[in-house]
Amino acid sequence: SSGSSNNNIIGLLTAASMKTFAKASRSYQGIHVDVIVTAGLSNSRAAGAEADYFVLCEIEDATSSDKEMDEGGNDDDSSGSQSNGANPIKPGTINTVVVTNAALTPAALLEAYSIAVEAKCRACANHAVTCAKSRTSELAQGTGTDCCVLISSSENDTDCGRRRVKHAGKHTLFAEMVGQAVYEATSESIMINIRHTHGSFFRYKLHHFTGSFWTTLQGARPCVPPRPMMPVPKAPPSVLVMGMLLTCASYLLISSKSASLLLGAVVWDRYLGEPPLFVHPVVIAGNSISAVLSTVPQRVYQNSSLGFVCGTALLLSMLTAFISVGWVFLQATERLSDYAVQLFALTAPPFNSNSITVPLFDFIGWILRLLLVKSTFSIQLLCTLALQMAKFLERKQLNDARGQLSWLCSRCPSKLNAEELAGATLESLSENLSDGFVAPIFWYALFGPLGTLGYRIVNTLDSRVGYRGKYEYFGKASARFDDLLNLVPARATCVFLALSATFVEDCSGSDGIKTAISDQNQCESPNAGWPMGCMAGLLGVRLEKKTEYCLGSGPQPTPQKLRLGCRVAQIAGGISLGLVIAILYLLN
């Protein structure tokens, strides 16, 4: 209507709150730079933050593309269209418009545009704008929907005269003008937003501190490796410090020794990860089993009676050896302070102070016993690997997902599709929740550290030789004994999963119990069907292994359901821990 040519008009497909409007200007020798900014921060993102949508290439059919965008993402803790946010994406955009009367060469135009974006990032950093998806208060460089426009005169405009800028790199005066104006306007707009949203900058910082503290309390999850078979990344320093503090609190504040030790071990698992592999009892047991198997003649496997006798002998010898060493270890750590006092009395009398030596070495002994208990279970690593699988499946990285499955189960992944990979992961997640967490703490409650160590040795033997085929007879004793030890924990895990479903949206505990009761007998194992059937029912999915079992009657699981399953498993682990801690207190 104004008579302007469409070639001279640009539009921003964005949303803006004019309450945060800010402007800034710079002028020099007839060249003017004017900047206007509106800043919304609820959608803040760091460069490289995990994606919310998983459509990579454009699809010609716009309707189809939009539909995929709407359905493509999943949250790691709840349903939704995101990958790692607990709530739907909130609107929030930093809009930057830079207008100059200078004529910029194509190179200068690109350089000036880069300066404008970098100045916006600088303003975000200086005001400690944090990424909305980060669990470690990672600084954001803007939002996920930022818009920036740079408008200049044309080089062919005869009115420009001498206002032609050839270069706009950081060393140039024009870059200074653009950078300062964008930084000033963006800073003012951010502060307006902060005051409008939080009331004051102090309350804004307090909000971020409490959020950071809460995410730190949640532990190291998810420290997910970027590729299969890579080491799990170390937790952030804040998480490590929190883990150390909570471990010390478990020792100092809980009167029950057994409850204190178990809680400290779970805290260590949540925040501090696995003990070094070279002293890890499960790793040592696995290496010992491999060494024994390499010396067993083939005729032992081929003869049913001989195989059963030799397998039973291996089971009893492994249990005897590890429980004996464990008993000696526990006795030594219990008396560590006595040994230290005697040692200092003989070698360094001036430093022999019982008021310092005894508490210090009592604590060191407690930490050593804690590491022994911690090595018998792991729920944090289990969920981390399942979350990594979800991440691969969301991005359709099937080869990486297949490689990841070998961490979780022995099923051949080469021909599995995305749904089957998600299903296999959920099966392993639910079964290993029973085998790898609930059962160890159950036997700890009954027999202490030696009980959980003995269970872990039996379970390790079952995982190595408790299969049909070559180890049909050799592994039968280990397999049957493992079935016996898991008889109660497997069914208890089913109940814990059903209870935890009440805290998670789109999950049904009653359906989980019904599916577990009706379908558990399809599994060859007398125990595995209970937690797997419950997981299938509460998520409303079908978990199947072709020609063997089909648990549940719903559709095959998606990455979204896998993330929900991780959340359910975490809560179920917490319920089982709380129950065992309460029992230990009563027994104490």
Side-chain angles (χ1 to χ4, degrees), residues 453-475:
L453 176 62
Y455 167 79
R456 179 50 59 198
I457 298 305
V458 174
N459 187 250
T460 304
L461 273 167
D462 175 60
S463 67
R464 293 297 302 275
V465 299
Y467 298 102
R468 295 192 182 278
K470 179 180 179 180
Y471 300 118
E472 174 78 23
Y473 307 106
F474 186 81

Side-chain angles (χ1 to χ4, degrees), residues 422-440:
T425 304
L426 275 173
E427 293 167 28
S428 180
L429 176 66
S430 52
E431 185 178 6
N432 283 311
L433 174 65
S434 173
D435 293 355
F437 187 74
V438 176

Side-chain angles (χ1 to χ4, degrees), residues 347-375:
T347 59
F351 300 97
N352 185 28
S353 174
N354 288 354
S355 61
I356 298 175
T357 304
V358 172
L360 175 62
F361 281 89
D362 279 344
F363 178 68
I364 294 174
W366 181 82
I367 289 290
L368 293 175
R369 294 191 296 278
L370 178 152
L371 291 175
L372 175 64
V373 174
K374 159 63 199 85
S375 67

Side-chain angles (χ1 to χ4, degrees), residues 492-533:
T493 302
C494 174
V495 175
F496 297 144
L497 285 170
L499 290 174
S500 65
T502 61
F503 300 98
V504 181
E505 189 178 357
D506 296 330
C507 293
S508 172
S510 59
D511 288 345
I513 293 292
K514 291 176 184 177
T515 304
I517 294 173
S518 63
D519 294 352
Q520 54 83 24
N521 57 359
Q522 296 182 30
C523 297
E524 183 179 4
S525 166
N527 301 314
W530 288 95
M532 291 196 304

Side-chain angles (χ1 to χ4, degrees), residues 100 104-114 150-152 165-166 168:
T100 178
L104 305 180
T105 64
L109 190 66
L110 181 59
E111 290 172 331
Y113 190 87
S114 299
L150 173 57
I151 304 172
S152 71
V165 176
K166 186 176 181 180

Side-chain angles (χ1 to χ4, degrees), residues 125-149:
N126 285 358
H127 289 81
V129 177
T130 56
C131 178
K133 299 192 73 172
S134 172
R135 296 178 181 274
T136 57
S137 298
E138 183 180 8
L139 290 179
Q141 288 74 49
T143 76
T145 52
D146 284 354
C147 291
C148 182
V149 174

Side-chain angles (χ1 to χ4, degrees), residues 407-454:
W407 281 72
L408 294 165
C409 64
S410 58
R411 188 182 305 185
C412 179
S414 59
K415 297 182 180 179
L416 299 183
N417 60 29
E419 290 77 15
E420 290 169 335
L421 287 166
T425 304
L426 275 173
E427 293 167 28
S428 180
L429 176 66
S430 52
E431 185 178 6
N432 283 311
L433 174 65
S434 173
D435 293 355
F437 187 74
V438 176
I441 66 174
F442 171 80
W443 290 106
Y444 176 89
L446 293 180
F447 300 110
L450 293 181
T452 187
L453 176 62

